[in-house]
Amino acid sequence: MSTTRRRRAAAVAVTLTGALLATACGGSDSGSSDGRTLRLWHYEAPNSAMGAAWNEAIKEFEAQHPGVKVKFEEKGFEQIQKTAPMVLNSNDAPDLMEYNKGNATAGLLSKQGLLTDLTGEATARGWDKKLSAGVRTTSRYDTNGVMGSGKWYGVPNYAEYTMVFYNKDLFKKYGIAEPDTYDELVSAMDAFVAKGVTPLANAGVEYIAQQYLYQLALSKADRSWVDTYELYKGKADFHDTAWSYAANTFADWVSKGYISRKSSGTKAEDAGVSWLQGKSPILFSGSWWYGRFESEAKFDWDSGLFPGSNLTLGSGGNLWVVPKGAKNKELAYDFIDITMSKKVQNLLGNKGGVPVAADTAAITDAKTKTLIADYNTLSGRDGLAFYPDWPVAGFYDTLVSETQKLITGSEKPDAYLDNLQKAYDKGVPQR
């Protein structure tokens, strides 16, 4: 499971594995086609930005296709992730499905021949023009299932990225200025520590800790460094300037009290709640929290890009994929096209998502305007640098366990980097 779904707790719908397994075993006739039904699977919660936008897309699709109905089947992320190869290799694959992006997920399915090549549709319908270079990366996969080049096998219609969330009331309470630069961020964290406040909400058990560290590396990196690490365009060196700076600075942040050693045992939800409860004034995490913070935060808050870095974690969102065995592919293409329309994209934005093709003038919420403006800034400078666990299978668990050791102090930065190098090199595919 990639980082993306570990993060988005609010967007996972619950379903039974047995339901998927029954489908995969051919226990129904739902795979038959009469040209009047579009079978759609996705796992977004109905109150999420994506869920709301796609519900609108269903209404729009049915209005544009008289006599055709969308048969939406709500599935759980974990169940689709575990059973997709079996389901898609059966006669009962849906016509359109949301699936996770990256080499180990959509890339693997494309390599196995289970997904439809969407290259012609992406060109004919203009999807390729609507997506920035960084977002397009996870749409295309080569013959080895490696993202970034080759044929189109998926289309994202939203994006995600990381940012710094600030509790403005806590900054005001302690008389500390909100930072605009990296040095000001460090000064602010020092000031909070002096007041007895741990400045950074963190989670060592899940993705947040490793993303702090990866962001520090990105602040000393460029696009070629990202391409080497994520796309194997060269040999990644975990003792280079960027990784060494990141590991040593992260360990220094722990020793200075910016990050609590106790956070080695906390989950992402704990970190988010800690920030919501005003226990820590700063959280570095992603746009997947944005809608929740807007609805649940009882204090004045703000967000901004990580200071002093042109790159940050982020990518296009999860993908619309059309199974190779889909019975109604043209209908699936039409539905994807509707989710890329201004009407649906604007709704996605106004619900707290990050649309890829919205009319910014149609976004009315002030905080959401900031969210989208910062995304446009990142997109304009090719600043989306993906996620640290993406390059090789199983690397997420390695990053979690090793970064926990940095937090507890049971491992030094050099040993940490040695262990990351070993796990990474073992997992890099032969090309």
Side-chain angles (χ1 to χ4, degrees), residues 30-33 90-95 323-330:
S30 56
S32 62
S33 171
S90 74
N91 292 324
D92 293 299
D95 298 310
K324 190 73 171 179
K327 306 299 190 300
N328 296 290
K329 293 184 180 182
E330 286 297 326

Side-chain angles (χ1 to χ4, degrees), residues 132-135 137 223 227 310-311 377-385:
S132 66
V135 173
T137 298
R223 176 55 58 183
D227 288 347
N310 286 325
L311 298 169
T377 296
L378 277 175
S379 180
R381 68 189 188 204
D382 192 22
L384 297 175

Side-chain angles (χ1 to χ4, degrees), residues 212-229:
Y212 275 115
L213 195 141
Y214 187 55
Q215 179 59 70
L216 288 169
L218 291 175
S219 71
K220 302 297 182 182
D222 58 17
R223 176 55 58 183
S224 65
W225 183 95
V226 174
D227 288 347
T228 295
Y229 175 63

Side-chain angles (χ1 to χ4, degrees), residues 20 42 44 87 90 128 134 150 169 232 314:
L20 280 174
H42 75 67
E44 303 295 348
V87 172
S90 74
D128 57 340
D169 286 357
Y232 322 128

